[in-house]
Amino acid sequence: MHQFVMDLIFNTLGWIGALLFLFSYFLLITKKWLATSFAFHLCNIIGGIFLSMSTFYDASYPATFVNLVWALIAAYGMYNDQYKKNKLD
């Protein structure tokens, strides 16, 4: 039972992460969000973290690395965009 619950948790995190990536990309392409929007960055950060957790649990370390770097790039983008925004205010 314990293994089933752990599998369910980490698979759910992976699915949520994947959906966040797709959702944010769709809203970017349809011009509902900008690449500099807080929500776009946040979805990519959370999506990257959730997918990293899921892939690490599955011992897919190259995918874990890519998703962690994705989340870090999104965090840098968020910081950079918020810094520029605050500097203009």
Side-chain angles (χ1 to χ4, degrees):
M1 181 66 173
H2 180 268
Q3 185 65 38
F4 171 77
V5 172
M6 293 300 290
D7 289 348
L8 181 63
I9 289 169
F10 284 100
N11 280 323
T12 301
L13 288 174
W15 278 108
I16 292 170
L19 290 172
L20 284 170
F21 278 173
L22 293 172
F23 176 72
S24 67
Y25 187 60
F26 175 76
L27 292 177
L28 178 70
I29 294 302
T30 58
K31 305 202 185 315
K32 306 285 187 218
W33 283 355
L34 298 173
T36 56
S37 70
F38 183 84
F40 177 73
H41 292 308
L42 187 62
C43 279
N44 280 282
I45 292 168
I46 295 170
I49 291 169
F50 281 10
L51 276 166
S52 294
M53 293 168 66
S54 178
T55 55
F56 185 81
Y57 178 76
D58 290 335
S60 180
Y61 302 120
T64 301
F65 172 76
V66 168
N67 287 303
L68 277 176
V69 171
W70 187 291
L72 290 172
I73 291 169
Y76 171 76
M78 177 187 280
Y79 169 79
N80 197 36
D81 291 338
Q82 293 300 307
Y83 175 77
K84 286 178 185 176
K85 181 180 174 185
N86 290 336
K87 199 171 184 180
L88 294 174
D89 290 340

